[in-house]
Amino acid sequence: MNTDHNAPDMQRIPRHIAIIMDGNGRWAAARGKERSYGHQAGVEAVRRITSECTRLGVDYLTLYTFSTENWNRPDDEVAALMGLVLSSLEDEIFMKNNVRFRVIGDTARLPKAVLDKLRETEEHTAANTAMTMVVALSYSSKWEIAKAARDIATEVRQGRLDPDSITEDTVNSHLATSFMPDPELLIRTGGELRISNFLLWQIAYSELYFCDTFWPDFGEEELHRAIRSFQNRQRRFGKTEAQVENEDTCKQ
């Protein structure tokens, strides 16, 4: 019997959910463990949420795994995180759930073994169709936008792009996320109330959901609560409440 009173409306599931997975280290510290213990527990949460998002019919799940700023963490923690990336890219997550894997970020900075495993997993799961899991690894939005600006400038200099023709769509097409729609819902766990340089361009009209739950404890019910919160909001995109209600009436 389903006792989840936050169960979402299956007819209005967000197409794209992005998650800032925060709180692994604090979760471990509260248990007297090393931070790496929390990161390991975080992988289990990834498995749970990936499986549930697939079941719910989410098309894209983007997970903020490692930012460009995280390179400033102690060497032993960075090494542990890279090792965890290698060990967590298992068939159990992707093939069992028919999930395609993609990675975005400044991957040139990654150790060769990690980069090779990422590419191998992308190729191995390329035909999977239930959902696409996108891992933001060595990623920051400022890096992404600066790279897009450089690429656009190069095309202008080479005479392949007219500066007067540059639009939002031009920028979108040069971003690392150009293959997927913008997130409709952004979730951050761990109690912090900031975006931390994640998908700044793409979340212009995303609904934001913050919770105190540390990522290792984030499960299906908390995910359902976040989606329910999303479903209970009116998304106006600059229009008035009356306009949106009138449009909804016309669709019925």
Side-chain angles (χ1 to χ4, degrees):
M1 180 177 179
N2 184 8
T3 58
D4 182 5
H5 301 298
N6 299 299
D9 179 350
M10 296 296 288
Q11 302 304 312
R12 296 187 294 128
I13 298 296
R15 186 182 179 197
H16 181 181
I17 296 175
I19 304 179
I20 300 173
M21 305 179 294
D22 194 19
N24 290 342
R26 285 172 288 158
W27 182 89
R31 288 159 176 76
K33 302 286 188 177
E34 297 291 329
R35 291 177 61 85
S36 59
Y37 179 76
H39 296 310
Q40 291 170 358
V43 172
E44 295 303 318
V46 169
R47 292 192 179 99
R48 288 196 303 271
I49 297 307
T50 299
S51 179
E52 184 62 7
C53 281
T54 305
R55 188 189 73 81
L56 292 172
V58 174
D59 290 334
Y60 295 90
L61 174 65
T62 301
L63 304 175
Y64 201 10
T65 304
F66 188 88
S67 73
T68 54
E69 291 84 359
N70 287 154
W71 288 111
N72 297 319
R73 291 189 174 186
D75 291 344
D76 57 345
E77 183 174 353
V78 171
L81 282 166
M82 292 299 108
L84 198 56
V85 169
L86 279 173
S87 64
S88 63
L89 295 176
E90 306 167 349
D91 280 358
E92 178 186 350
I93 296 178
F94 304 108
M95 305 311 291
K96 177 182 177 181
N97 295 295
N98 190 24
V99 170
R100 184 178 185 181
F101 174 81
R102 298 286 297 266
V103 61
I104 58 173
D106 187 8
T107 55
R109 299 182 65 178
L110 297 172
K112 184 178 184 302
V114 173
L115 186 56
D116 288 347
K117 183 63 175 180
L118 292 171
R119 298 310 178 203
E120 176 189 321
T121 305
E122 283 187 321
E123 294 173 6
H124 184 54
T125 63
N128 290 350
T129 58
M131 185 180 75
T132 298
M133 180 211 283
V134 183
V135 169
L137 190 62
S138 187
Y139 171 91
S140 82
S141 204
K142 289 184 177 181
W143 161 83
E144 178 186 32
I145 294 171
K147 182 180 184 302
R150 288 195 301 272
D151 292 344
I152 291 171
T154 297
E155 292 183 25
V156 170
R157 185 177 64 241
Q158 294 174 346
R160 296 188 289 120
L161 182 63
D162 179 359
D164 292 332
S165 70
I166 295 174
T167 64
E168 291 180 14
D169 288 339
T170 309
V171 177
N172 281 331
S173 69
H174 287 79
L175 295 175
T177 57
S178 60
F179 60 91
M180 61 178 172
D182 292 342
E184 294 165 271
L185 172 61
L186 171 67
I187 299 169
R188 179 167 188 150
T189 65
E192 303 290 358
L193 304 178
R194 55 177 175 267
I195 304 303
S196 297
N197 208 357
F198 183 49
L199 301 179
L200 299 180
W201 175 279
Q202 296 88 340
I203 63 169
Y205 275 101
S206 300
E207 298 297 325
L208 308 182
Y209 181 86
F210 300 95
C211 66
D212 293 332
T213 307
F214 292 147
W215 176 246
D217 290 330
F218 192 88
E220 292 88 345
E221 288 196 20
E222 188 73 61
L223 175 66
H224 293 177
R225 189 175 294 113
I227 294 175
R228 255 305 187 198
S229 175
F230 165 84
Q231 292 175 340
N232 288 333
R233 304 178 194 182
Q234 185 184 65
R235 309 189 73 210
R236 295 194 290 272
F237 301 97
K239 298 179 182 179
T240 67
E241 182 177 348
Q243 283 178 299
V244 174
E245 290 176 352
N246 184 59
E247 290 174 354
D248 290 342
T249 299
C250 292
K251 291 178 183 178
Q252 295 175 0

